[in-house]
């Protein structure tokens, strides 16, 4: 019998627009009777900002973001009687969100991969829809199918920065060995041969460390021919979810080629293709990381107003306790990556140790020390073993897993970030290989470091030791611009790491002091806990909401300019960029990067004007495209003395020990066993601490020497022959001669040319014809040079007041052979038959 009384019209429901009042009406489990102060604060602010489209919520890991996000969605769903969606980066997080919703008494269903329809209650606005980002963000999204047409009024983007990585993947076309690849190469090879012939030869020879990005003028001119080739593969099983997203904006894409294949991705993500996302009246971006949210504005279209008013509850207790230790900041020559490996082999006897490595190659190097390497398909098993104290597998290395892995409490007490977390994609690797990291690349590296550090500390009460292995990552995190991009509490933890390094360095036995520091954290020493609370938790840094207005302005300008361009209004695109650029105080590299964007838009209306702009862009930023025809002439500024350049370089580091870590890392990078590409890049980077201007003409222009140092009135034209074992050959002398001729034609006659070969030997074959002025820099010379550089900078680090005594410093660099005039006689030998 039907109970019609149950169908009678009920009293009006409570006002769901008041999220806290709505929470009180839920039939919750006992574990969710009360909200935490930080959750209450976040809910109140979200209620106050309810009318705006975009909001950003920053709460520490374990502080209850999921609960806030679910309440936000449920209140909108009940108020508007329209569907809502909760997006997660991984399937595991979808399950966790679903469990949380059940505890709150909020109806919810997971919309899984492979399912054609969401649960009917999600469509009728009776339950929250939970799914991964890739369920919506793909070219065949079921959200748009006529029998689904899921258009949420409100969405939550959980772990928004990780979500952005997933969305970038959705827009990335990756083409490897196939007929498709050959079809594209037939069109692109002539461009590469002309633009960078030397680099292209190395790619064809199988060099895995070389790559070429097609310059925008070539790509735009060829895009009409490439369109039908790419379009006909839109139904290929491996490309069907990506290609349709790129066809309308193909000429506004980037294309990078390496021996691994080809990658194509839009300059800015055209997220507007997903109306389920853009039409949502309310969007909540949730994250525990990063101070700078400009990437959400640039690539996800978050409104600048929403980013400026990020919700950071003052009552948030902050993240758990992390003792961050960067051994290379104590003594970069002693505490190398191998030392950290051996330390972890010892620590694993009583603690779980987890290493996050950027590649399988680097991960395998830990096996010698007793670690077990787990690749992507083995992660779940590894995590379960870590949580099981009886598994016996407590020393593991995970590759490319800086997010989506939870290792709370004893599952991981020692976490290692193994070098810089560089991505394995073609474009990612290409961008990271550039001379200095652009803002976008720097942002991704910072994000991965912060995400990685958070794997082992999952609540306010949790604790772990985080080891930064190697001089490269230690030097990176010590830089001012890097720390500005970090979450305030992470920044405070790094400041403490620098302080701990200095304390350990003062001890008679710094190694024992360092191990003792780690032990104090792991053994829960009261003094350490009080000191940490005072230096990090009680400093108030974790409650500061920092909006970087300039970055938000530029990010919004980039996006709006891109939208104007794809809307066939390149003139407006150029105007938008130039207007906002002129309002900001930009360094040369950033200014050059934005000029290149302007040049790409201007190319649509005036190619000659475009190349003029690109010429300036290249002069400001040597990683920009070298414009055609116009010869590259980066003249050194003689008015700025080498000593001033050296001091300026040192000032880039928050902790100037980071400069010493950089020099220590150069010892490894300038090892003759390194790849040719890495060696040449490090040789160029060495110019900066010398007070010189370094470049790689062969890489940058496809012509000229391997490396060029403009050092005062001297031009060091450098060819690296690190692979020669016994002698220097005829073809080597010919390459150096050609490079000298290139320099004479390219640069004005104001430099004294120094032909320089970097080699294991200075003996030539009988038929080699080297200029009699040619000098050779051998391994012993490099070792002495790095040692003297370390001596000079170490004195400045230990005695900061020396920086103001330039007369003494000038005498010191002369004594150490660190001037352009004394370099040859101090570190080089003549060439001989």
């Amino acid at each position: 019998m039907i109970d019609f009384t149950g169908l009678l019209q009920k009293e009006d429901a409570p006002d769901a627009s008041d999220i806290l009042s709505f929470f009180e009406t839920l039939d919750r489990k006992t574990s969710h009777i009360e909200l935490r102060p930080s959750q209450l604060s976040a809910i109140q602010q979200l209620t106050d900002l309810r009318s705006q489209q975009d909001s950003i919520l920053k709460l520490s890991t374990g502080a209850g973001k999921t609960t806030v996000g679910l309440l936000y969605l449920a209140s909108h769903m009940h108020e508007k009687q329209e569907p809502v969606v909760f997006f997660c980066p991984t399937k595991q997080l979808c399950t966790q969100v679903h469990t949380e919703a059940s505890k709150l008494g909020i109806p919810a269903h997971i919309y899984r991969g492979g399912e054609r329809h969401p649960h009917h209650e999600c469509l009728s606005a009776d339950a929250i829809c939970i799914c991964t980002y890739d369920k919506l963000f793909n070219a065949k999204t079921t959200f748009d199918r006529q029998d689904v047409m899921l258009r949420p009024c409100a969405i939550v983007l959980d772990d928004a920065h990780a979500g952005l990585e997933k969305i970038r993947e959705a827009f990335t076309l990756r083409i490897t060995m196939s007929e498709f690849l050959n079809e594209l190469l037939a069109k692109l090879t002539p461009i590469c041969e002309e633009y960078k012939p030397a680099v292209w030869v190395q790619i064809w020879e199988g060099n895995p460390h070389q790559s070429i990005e097609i310059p925008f003028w070539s790509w735009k001119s060829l895009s009409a021919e490439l369109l039908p080739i790419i379009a006909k593969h839109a139904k290929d099983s491996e490309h069907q979810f990506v290609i349709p997203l790129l066809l309308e904006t193909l000429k506004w894409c980037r294309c990078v080629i390496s021996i691994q294949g080809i990658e194509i991705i839009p300059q800015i993500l055209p997220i507007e293709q997903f109306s389920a996302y853009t039409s949502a009246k309310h969007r909540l971006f949730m994250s525990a990381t990063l101070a700078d949210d400009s990437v959400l504005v640039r690539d996800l279209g978050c409104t600048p107003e929403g980013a400026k008013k990020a919700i950071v509850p003052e009552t948030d207790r902050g993240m758990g306790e992390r003792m961050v230790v960067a051994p290379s900041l104590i003594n970069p020559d002693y505490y190398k990556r191998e030392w950290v490996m051996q330390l972890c082999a010892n620590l694993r006897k009583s603690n779980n140790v987890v290493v996050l490595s950027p590649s399988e190659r680097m991960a395998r190097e830990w096996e010698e020390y007793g670690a077990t390497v787990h690749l992507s398909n083995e992660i779940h098993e590894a995590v379960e073993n870590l949580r099981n104290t009886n598994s016996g597998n407590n020393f593991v290395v995970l590759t490319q897993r800086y997010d989506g892995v939870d290792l709370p409490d004893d599952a991981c007490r020692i976490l290692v970030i193994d070098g810089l977390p560089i991505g394995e994609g073609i474009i990612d690797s290409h961008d990271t290989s550039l001379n200095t990291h652009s803002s976008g690349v720097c942002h991704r590296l910072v994000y991965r470091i912060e995400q990685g550090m958070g794997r082992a500390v999952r609540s306010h009460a949790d604790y772990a030791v985080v080891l930064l292995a190697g001089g490269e990552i230690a030097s990176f995190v010590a830089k001012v611009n890097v720390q500005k991009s970090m979450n305030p509490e992470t920044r405070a933890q790094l400041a403490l790491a620098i302080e701990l390094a200095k304390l350990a360095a003062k001890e008679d036995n710094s190694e024992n002091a360092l191990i003792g520091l780690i032990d104090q954290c792991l053994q829960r020493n009261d003094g350490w806990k009080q000191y940490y609370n005072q230096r990090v938790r009680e400093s108030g840094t974790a409650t500061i909401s920092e909006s970087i207005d300039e970055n938000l302005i530029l990010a919004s300008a980039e996006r709006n300019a891109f939208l104007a361009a794809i809307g066939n209004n390149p003139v407006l695109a150029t105007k938008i960029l130039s207007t906002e650029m002129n309002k900001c105080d930009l360094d040369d590299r950033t200014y050059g990067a934005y000029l290149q964007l302007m040049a790409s838009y201007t190319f649509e209306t005036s190619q000659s004007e475009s190349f003029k702009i690109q010429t300036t862009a290249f002069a400001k930023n040597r990683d920009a495209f070298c414009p055609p025809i116009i010869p590259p002439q980066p003249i050194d500024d003689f008015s700025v003395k080498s000593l001033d350049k050296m001091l300026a370089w040192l000032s880039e580091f928050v902790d100037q020990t980071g400069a010493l870590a950089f020099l220590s890392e150069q010892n490894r990078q300038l090892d003759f066993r390194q790849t040719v590409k890495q060696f040449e890049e490090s040789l160029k980077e060495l110019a900066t601490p010398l007070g010189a201007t370094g470049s790689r003409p062969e890489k940058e222009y496809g012509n000229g020497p391997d490396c060029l140092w403009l050092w005062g009135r001297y031009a060091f034209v450098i060819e690296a022959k690190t692979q020669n074992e016994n002698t220097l050959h005829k073809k080597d002398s010919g390459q150096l001669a050609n490079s000298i001729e290139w320099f004479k034609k390219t640069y004005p006659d104001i430099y004294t040319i120094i032909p320089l070969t970097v080699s294991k030997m200075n003996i030539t074959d009988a038929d080699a014809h080297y200029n009699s002025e040619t000098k050779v820099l051998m391994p012993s010379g490099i070792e002495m040079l790095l040692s003297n550089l370390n001596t000079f900078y170490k004195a400045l680090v230990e005695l900061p007041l020396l920086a103001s005594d330039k007369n003494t410093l000038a005498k010191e660099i002369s004594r150490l052979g660190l001037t352009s005039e004394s370099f040859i006689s101090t570190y080089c030998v003549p060439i001989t038959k």
Side-chain angles (χ1 to χ4, degrees):
M1 183 175 65
I2 297 174
D3 179 12
F4 287 99
T5 60
L7 301 178
L8 292 174
Q9 186 173 1
K10 298 178 181 179
E11 295 180 10
D12 291 340
D15 180 12
S17 64
D18 186 325
I19 303 177
L20 185 56
S21 297
F22 174 76
F23 169 77
E24 296 297 342
T25 68
L26 297 174
D27 186 15
R28 308 183 300 277
K29 300 288 177 65
T30 54
S31 59
H32 285 63
I33 293 296
E34 300 293 339
L35 292 171
R36 303 170 193 171
S38 58
Q39 292 172 317
L40 287 169
S41 176
I43 286 171
Q44 184 57 58
Q45 292 181 67
L46 283 171
T47 300
D48 294 342
L49 298 172
R50 194 171 181 82
S51 61
Q52 75 179 26
Q53 180 183 23
D54 291 334
S55 297
I56 294 178
L57 171 63
K58 297 186 181 184
L59 270 178
S60 302
T61 301
K65 285 191 300 294
T66 302
T67 294
V68 175
L70 286 167
L71 290 172
Y72 171 87
L73 288 180
S75 71
H76 278 293
M77 181 176 70
H78 280 265
E79 179 191 13
K80 300 177 177 65
Q81 290 298 297
E82 295 180 39
V84 295
V85 181
F86 196 117
F87 291 103
C88 301
T90 66
K91 297 175 184 177
Q92 292 84 356
L93 289 176
C94 283
T95 301
Q96 292 176 24
V97 172
H98 185 262
T99 301
E100 185 73 7
S102 177
K103 292 177 180 178
L104 284 166
I106 296 175
H109 300 284
I110 299 176
Y111 189 14
R112 292 180 171 84
E115 293 182 350
R116 290 180 55 80
H117 301 88
H119 194 282
H120 66 87
E121 290 185 347
C122 297
L123 293 173
S124 62
D126 291 312
I128 293 175
C129 179
I130 303 169
C131 64
T132 55
Y133 283 91
D134 55 12
K135 190 67 181 176
L136 168 62
F137 296 102
N138 71 81
K140 291 194 168 186
T141 176
T142 55
F143 277 63
D144 288 345
R145 224 177 45 233
Q146 286 299 318
D147 57 338
V148 176
M149 286 303 289
L150 180 54
R151 291 293 180 268
C153 69
I155 61 176
V156 162
L157 296 97
D158 192 17
D159 208 348
H161 294 90
L164 173 57
E165 294 285 303
K166 300 290 184 183
I167 299 171
R168 279 177 57 85
E169 277 292 307
F171 280 99
T172 302
L173 176 60
R174 190 171 293 112
I175 308 142
T176 54
M177 298 304 294
S178 64
E179 183 59 33
F180 188 10
L181 178 65
N182 294 334
E183 291 176 276
L184 291 180
L185 287 176
K187 297 289 185 181
L188 296 172
T189 293
I191 294 171
C192 296
E193 287 177 334
E194 180 181 357
Y195 181 56
K196 289 191 174 180
V199 176
W200 187 241
V201 168
Q202 292 181 59
I203 290 175
W204 271 103
E205 289 177 347
N207 188 329
H209 305 288
Q210 293 286 10
S211 57
I212 289 179
E213 180 170 0
I214 306 299
F216 65 79
W217 53 88
S218 300
W219 179 256
K220 288 175 184 293
S221 301
L222 197 61
S223 60
E225 295 181 46
L226 294 175
L227 184 61
I229 297 174
I230 294 173
K232 77 176 183 179
H233 290 278
K235 294 184 179 180
D236 293 356
S237 58
E238 66 267 44
H239 305 308
Q240 60 180 322
F241 296 103
V242 180
I243 286 180
L245 298 177
L246 305 181
L247 296 179
E248 292 300 318
T249 57
L250 188 62
K251 72 176 178 179
W252 301 108
C253 287
R254 298 178 61 198
C255 175
V256 178
I257 306 175
S258 77
I259 192 60
Q260 284 82 25
I262 295 175
E263 275 189 3
I264 301 171
I265 188 173
Q267 292 175 4
I268 307 286
L269 301 185
I271 206 80
E272 287 72 17
Q273 294 188 42
F274 298 100
S275 57
Y277 173 80
T278 54
S279 66
K281 301 180 186 70
H282 305 284
R283 303 183 297 202
L284 177 60
F285 302 83
M286 302 201 304
S287 176
T289 58
L290 292 183
D292 181 8
D293 293 309
S294 60
V295 67
L296 301 180
V297 176
R298 179 183 183 271
D299 276 326
L300 294 186
C302 174
T303 61
E305 295 74 25
K308 287 178 183 178
K309 298 176 182 177
I311 298 170
V312 187
E314 294 184 1
T315 49
D316 183 2
R317 299 177 69 192
M319 59 185 67
E321 176 192 311
R322 297 192 302 214
M323 175 186 274
V324 182
V325 180
S328 291
L329 293 181
I330 299 173
N331 184 335
D333 294 323
Y334 183 74
Y335 298 111
K336 298 180 183 292
R337 180 168 173 258
E338 293 73 17
W339 184 90
V340 175
M341 290 172 155
Q342 185 58 59
L343 173 67
C344 290
N346 296 331
L347 291 173
R348 62 87 51 96
K349 296 173 184 176
S350 53
N351 299 277
N352 280 9
V353 179
V354 178
V355 182
L356 304 182
S357 195
S359 67
E360 183 179 351
R361 177 188 64 79
M362 289 182 66
R364 295 293 178 193
E365 293 170 359
W366 287 83
E367 291 179 323
E368 180 184 341
Y369 295 85
T372 304
V373 175
H374 294 270
L375 303 180
S376 57
N377 59 337
E378 305 164 335
I379 298 295
H380 179 72
E381 179 186 355
V383 171
E384 290 302 312
N385 287 337
L386 288 166
R387 291 177 174 176
N388 178 6
T389 56
N390 298 318
S391 70
N393 188 12
N394 72 331
F395 187 11
V396 304
V397 186
L398 310 180
T399 60
Q400 283 293 318
R401 287 309 295 260
Y402 299 99
D403 55 37
V405 176
D406 290 348
L407 299 167
D409 304 320
D410 290 338
C412 178
R413 289 302 182 198
I414 298 161
L415 181 77
V416 182
I417 308 295
D418 184 23
L420 278 179
I422 297 167
E424 291 187 308
I426 295 171
I427 289 179
D428 212 355
S429 298
H430 173 80
D431 288 345
T432 310
S433 73
L434 300 178
N435 175 28
T436 55
H437 305 304
S438 67
S439 59
V441 176
C442 179
H443 176 99
R444 290 199 290 275
L445 289 173
V446 168
Y447 158 73
R448 289 174 187 150
I449 291 171
E450 290 211 88
Q451 284 290 95
M453 288 170 62
R455 295 310 91 207
V457 178
R458 308 304 299 165
S459 72
H460 177 76
D462 206 353
Y463 67 92
V465 173
V466 178
L467 292 167
L468 305 182
E472 190 175 22
I473 187 170
S475 173
F476 180 77
V477 300
K479 291 185 175 180
V480 175
N481 65 318
V482 171
Q483 293 200 13
K484 282 182 178 178
S485 298
M486 288 184 161
N487 177 291
E489 191 163 350
T490 302
R491 197 183 312 157
Q493 290 174 338
L494 286 173
L496 181 57
I498 291 168
E499 192 172 327
L500 294 176
K502 291 178 179 177
L503 290 172
K506 290 179 181 178
E507 297 292 321
D508 293 335
N509 188 322
S510 62
E511 184 169 9
N512 286 344
L514 180 55
I515 295 172
L517 281 172
I518 293 171
D519 189 60
Q520 283 177 290
C521 174
L522 296 176
Q523 298 301 320
R524 313 310 299 137
N525 176 269
D526 286 337
W528 156 250
K529 289 190 290 184
Q530 292 171 14
Y531 187 65
Y532 180 89
N533 288 337
Q534 182 185 74
R535 301 289 292 132
V536 178
R537 287 178 172 160
E538 296 173 8
S539 65
T541 54
T543 64
I544 298 173
S545 175
E546 297 190 8
S547 292
I548 305 175
D549 287 345
E550 188 173 279
N551 288 357
L552 295 177
I553 290 170
L554 291 170
S556 181
E558 277 190 79
R559 178 152 205 91
N560 291 334
F562 176 77
L563 294 177
I566 64 176
N568 295 321
N569 196 342
V571 174
L572 177 60
T574 302
K575 182 179 179 181
I576 290 171
L577 267 184
S578 64
T579 299
E580 299 305 333
M581 285 168 58
N582 292 332
K583 294 178 182 178
C584 301
D585 182 20
L586 304 176
D587 59 70
D588 280 354
R589 282 192 55 77
T590 305
Y591 189 67
Y594 281 109
L595 281 177
Q596 177 162 291
L597 280 177
M598 281 182 56
S600 72
Y601 296 140
T602 306
F603 188 82
E604 298 295 301
T605 55
S606 172
Q607 293 187 17
S608 60
E609 183 64 25
S610 172
F611 287 140
K612 287 180 183 178
I613 297 172
Q614 187 61 29
T615 301
T616 306
F618 185 71
K620 297 286 185 182
N621 183 337
R622 307 306 286 183
D623 286 329
F625 296 125
C626 176
I629 303 173
I630 304 169
Q633 297 184 6
I635 308 302
D636 203 24
D637 186 352
F638 299 145
S639 66
V640 182
K641 295 182 178 179
S642 293
L643 177 57
D644 292 328
K645 293 180 181 179
M646 296 168 84
L647 294 175
W649 176 73
L650 185 62
S651 70
E652 292 179 7
F653 297 89
V654 176
D655 174 17
Q656 295 186 341
T657 312
L660 304 182
F662 172 86
L663 293 173
S664 175
E665 182 67 12
Q666 291 296 93
N667 264 312
R668 186 176 72 85
Q669 302 289 7
L670 288 171
D671 188 311
F672 278 50
R673 293 169 294 185
Q674 285 283 3
T675 65
V676 172
K677 177 182 177 181
Q678 183 58 64
F679 189 92
E680 292 174 1
E681 184 66 24
S682 298
L683 201 60
K684 181 189 76 171
E685 290 178 351
L686 187 60
T688 307
L690 283 169
T693 300
S695 62
R696 290 174 62 191
E698 185 181 57
K699 173 182 177 292
E700 295 167 6
Y701 322 126
N703 206 348
D706 293 334
C707 190
L708 176 66
W709 289 353
L710 299 181
W711 197 356
R713 293 285 177 179
Y714 293 87
F716 290 78
V717 178
I718 307 171
E719 291 289 339
K721 301 300 170 188
T722 58
Q723 307 303 306
N724 293 34
E725 292 297 334
N726 300 309
T727 59
L728 293 165
H729 311 310
K730 180 180 180 180
K731 67 174 184 178
D732 301 329
S733 63
Q735 286 177 351
L736 184 57
N738 289 339
S739 293
I740 291 171
E741 287 305 309
W742 171 89
F743 182 86
K744 290 177 178 178
K745 293 176 182 177
T746 305
Y747 286 80
D749 187 20
I750 57 175
Y751 292 99
T752 299
I753 299 175
I754 306 294
L756 182 63
T757 292
V758 182
S759 173
K760 298 174 186 175
M761 77 298 295
N762 65 331
I763 301 172
T764 73
D765 293 335
D767 59 350
H769 301 292
Y770 275 95
N771 183 307
S772 60
E773 299 299 317
T774 302
K775 305 299 179 184
V776 181
L777 179 61
M778 297 171 65
S780 58
I782 292 176
E783 183 179 352
M784 185 191 305
L785 173 62
L786 289 171
S787 175
N788 286 351
L789 272 171
N790 186 72
T791 298
F792 174 74
Y793 282 107
K794 188 175 183 181
L796 280 172
V797 170
E798 294 176 349
L799 300 170
L801 291 178
L802 268 180
S804 60
D805 188 355
K806 292 189 177 180
N807 288 331
T808 299
L809 290 179
K811 293 177 182 177
E812 184 66 2
I813 61 174
S814 180
R815 182 185 72 82
L816 293 170
L818 300 177
T819 65
S820 56
E821 294 82 4
S822 59
F823 175 84
I824 291 296
S825 60
T826 307
Y827 305 107
C828 301
V829 296
I831 203 157
T832 182
K833 291 284 188 184

